[in-house]
Amino acid sequence: MEKIDISQSVKTLEFGSKYEARIQRIFREFDIKTIRDLCQWPGKDLVRVRDMGRKSIEEIEEVLERYNLRLGMLGKELDEYAGIENSVQDEEEEAKWEQRRYEIAKEVFIHHRLVANSAVYEADGLIRALRGMTHR
């Protein structure tokens, strides 16, 4: 199956002359700008949209299927499709470093009796040095 850049505008998709104008108007009305935005829309929500008939929805689903996409996809699925990996893992890693920074600043503040701003500054320097060591 062919892949497509999901950050592209939905205007790059072709839905056939019979449905094109109606579908693109609904996209504008509901602020669906990118293919990613479209894929995140639950199909059941589109059924409730005025002027969005079953045939129009089927046409959208067929076009998405060509690219191995579908309505109602989760952000994580779309990230994987787009080749964006480890985003959750990266966020967890950042949270750990932020927690370490807090703990170091607290220790410096308490034990070295520095003002809070100075303690945070010292903690930031230590975290930068530690992170530099782990990225080698």
Side-chain angles (χ1 to χ4, degrees), residues 108-123:
V108 169
F109 177 76
I110 292 170
H111 295 292
H112 297 282
R113 301 180 189 259
L114 290 178
V115 292
N117 289 353
S118 295
V120 169
Y121 180 79
E122 292 295 320

Side-chain angles (χ1 to χ4, degrees), residues 117-135:
N117 289 353
S118 295
V120 169
Y121 180 79
E122 292 295 320
D124 286 344
L126 183 55
I127 289 296
R128 276 194 301 279
L130 290 172
R131 288 187 82 165
M133 290 171 57
T134 62
H135 287 116

Side-chain angles (χ1 to χ4, degrees), residues 27-41:
F27 290 167
R28 281 190 305 277
E29 193 174 312
F30 287 89
D31 203 34
I32 299 173
K33 293 180 178 162
T34 66
I35 296 168
R36 182 185 183 96
D37 294 341
L38 174 60
C39 291
Q40 289 181 310
W41 260 64

